[in-house]
Amino acid sequence: MKNQKLIIGICVAVAIVAIAAAGIFAFSSNDDPKTDNSDTTSEQNPNAKVTIIEAMQKIKPSSTQEEITELVGFEPTTDAMIGSDPIWKFDSKNWISYKAYNDSVTIQAAIDKENLKDENITLPTATELQSMLNNGSFTYKELVEKIGGEGTLTSISDGSVIYTWVDKHDQKLGATFNKETGKCTVASYR
């Protein structure tokens, strides 16, 4: 009798777990894109005159918010998740932010790494990169030659620029170059 109650109890517990799992699976696997409210797809801002990469190539450290707005074709917004700085959202994964610090401005782009991926580049190992930095550093041109491809400009300020590369394995390298010396000051993988 005790074994029968134990077996019934186990069966009831298994049935409850199975029903709960089926409910969770059914709720989370909505295949109808018309009713999917998630933000997994990125819709390009319909007012954009340029791509985010083209915009970053044309923006200067002295660019004003008004000049950036004219260039990209739409007004900036703010996003509490990103901060209180003005941002120009091209879509949910790509935006440009404008950060003012005292008398200095930094303009940064958050660009989806899928847009930066280059199958033809070969990033140096972290050890090679550290060795290059320790041995007098390197210029952007020298790094491009080593990697085998141009980087994408992702940050601009009066004193430096940051370029980013993404290889076929989704490894992302960011390198900061001092505008005065032309040398890399910081390089890191993300």
Side-chain angles (χ1 to χ4, degrees), residues 82-100:
I82 300 169
S84 61
D85 299 313
I87 59 169
W88 292 265
K89 285 186 92 167
F90 287 77
D91 59 45
S92 64
K93 296 181 179 181
N94 298 282
W95 62 85
I96 294 173
S97 66
Y98 186 94
K99 300 175 189 290

Side-chain angles (χ1 to χ4, degrees), residues 37-87:
N37 293 326
S38 69
D39 196 18
T40 57
T41 58
S42 296
E43 278 192 35
Q44 175 74 23
N45 185 319
N47 298 317
K49 293 180 183 177
V50 294
T51 67
I52 190 169
I53 293 171
E54 292 167 337
M56 286 303 290
Q57 291 169 344
K58 295 177 181 180
I59 292 173
K60 298 175 179 68
S62 60
S63 295
T64 65
Q65 291 182 42
E66 293 77 18
E67 290 169 332
I68 296 171
T69 297
E70 176 63 30
L71 171 68
V72 300
F74 56 92
E75 293 290 326
T77 61
T78 56
D79 187 323
M81 295 298 289
I82 300 169
S84 61
D85 299 313
I87 59 169

Side-chain angles (χ1 to χ4, degrees), residues 123-126 129-130 133 138 143 162-165 171-177 184-190:
L123 298 177
T125 66
L129 197 57
Q130 188 61 53
L133 283 167
F138 47 87
L143 187 57
I162 298 175
Y163 285 90
T164 303
W165 292 262
Q171 188 167 8
K172 186 176 182 179
L173 171 64
T176 304
F177 295 89
C184 182
T185 56
V186 175
S188 63
Y189 287 103
R190 293 178 228 129

Side-chain angles (χ1 to χ4, degrees), residues 71-181:
L71 171 68
V72 300
F74 56 92
E75 293 290 326
T77 61
T78 56
D79 187 323
M81 295 298 289
I82 300 169
S84 61
D85 299 313
I87 59 169
W88 292 265
K89 285 186 92 167
F90 287 77
D91 59 45
S92 64
K93 296 181 179 181
N94 298 282
W95 62 85
I96 294 173
S97 66
Y98 186 94
K99 300 175 189 290
Y101 305 102
N102 299 325
D103 293 335
S104 178
V105 171
T106 300
I107 300 165
Q108 291 184 303
I111 304 175
D112 182 20
K113 70 180 177 181
E114 288 301 315
N115 295 335
L116 303 179
K117 192 181 284 190
D118 185 342
E119 302 276 329
N120 300 315
I121 63 169
T122 304
L123 298 177
T125 66
T127 305
E128 287 176 306
L129 197 57
Q130 188 61 53
S131 176
M132 292 165 61
L133 283 167
N134 291 343
N135 292 326
S137 192
F138 47 87
T139 65
Y140 172 76
K141 183 179 177 182
E142 290 168 337
L143 187 57
V144 166
E145 289 172 6
K146 171 112 177 116
I147 289 174
E150 297 281 332
T152 301
L153 184 61
T154 54
S155 181
I156 306 164
S157 70
D158 286 331
S160 65
V161 292
I162 298 175
Y163 285 90
T164 303
W165 292 262
V166 178
D167 70 8
K168 63 185 173 187
H169 305 292
D170 287 336
Q171 188 167 8
K172 186 176 182 179
L173 171 64
T176 304
F177 295 89
N178 180 293
K179 282 188 174 178
E180 189 176 314
T181 66

Side-chain angles (χ1 to χ4, degrees), residues 12-46:
V12 169
V14 168
I16 291 171
V17 169
I19 291 169
I24 290 170
F25 178 75
F27 180 74
S28 67
S29 65
N30 184 355
D31 289 335
D32 185 3
K34 290 179 235 154
T35 59
D36 185 8
N37 293 326
S38 69
D39 196 18
T40 57
T41 58
S42 296
E43 278 192 35
Q44 175 74 23
N45 185 319

